[in-house]
Amino acid sequence: MVTNATFVIEITPSEGLLPTTGRFDFTKVWSGGAEGTSKGVMLSSGNAAKGTAGFVAMEVFEGRIGSLSGSVSLQQFGTMVGGEQRLTYEVVPGSGTDDFIGITGELHLTIDEDGLHHVRFDIA
């Protein structure tokens, strides 16, 4: 199933592990083909201002994606080298409840000029 959605995110910084790392808690509100909320944590390192950094994030989505509903965990792995970003955003295998039991797949993220996050779910 392919579904398109958007989300707005609220990020709260926490104390980092080391001077070059950051820890952030976040909440997302989803709309469109996915409706619900997700909460998670992100760890980052590097120097994003200079175009080199990396992050990992885990979040739990609760709500509806297409005609399916329940909760499922999502994971992100991102890097930036020379200002070029690369992101892997996936469903965590075995994490689904209710209609999401057994779900697998990827998410594809783009951010528009106004900062709105657009996501395409490619899930099965």
Side-chain angles (χ1 to χ4, degrees), residues 12-37:
T12 306
S14 299
E15 188 171 324
L17 304 171
L18 299 168
T20 59
T21 65
R23 181 185 186 282
F24 306 89
D25 296 317
F26 62 87
T27 301
K28 295 176 180 176
V29 177
W30 296 80
S31 58
E35 293 187 359
T37 59

Side-chain angles (χ1 to χ4, degrees), residues 1-6 30-35 64-66 108 118-122:
M1 163 181 31
V2 176
T3 300
N4 294 299
T6 60
W30 296 80
S31 58
E35 293 187 359
R64 176 192 62 76
I65 302 171
H108 305 277
H118 299 267
V119 176
R120 186 182 82 233
F121 290 81
D122 290 327

Side-chain angles (χ1 to χ4, degrees), residues 6-101:
T6 60
F7 67 80
V8 293
I9 185 169
E10 180 180 316
I11 300 174
T12 306
S14 299
E15 188 171 324
L17 304 171
L18 299 168
T20 59
T21 65
R23 181 185 186 282
F24 306 89
D25 296 317
F26 62 87
T27 301
K28 295 176 180 176
V29 177
W30 296 80
S31 58
E35 293 187 359
T37 59
S38 58
K39 294 185 180 197
V41 64
M42 177 189 326
L43 299 173
S44 66
S45 187
N47 189 334
K50 291 189 176 182
T52 56
F55 79 93
V56 294
M58 296 292 288
E59 66 189 279
V60 177
F61 171 87
E62 294 184 65
R64 176 192 62 76
I65 302 171
S67 62
L68 307 176
S69 63
S71 65
V72 66
S73 294
L74 307 172
Q75 67 183 18
Q76 298 180 50
F77 175 82
T79 57
M80 180 175 17
V81 177
E84 294 293 322
Q85 298 181 22
R86 186 175 51 181
L87 174 66
T88 301
Y89 199 177
E90 298 181 339
V91 171
V92 176
S95 67
T97 67
D98 302 320
D99 293 339
F100 295 140
I101 291 174

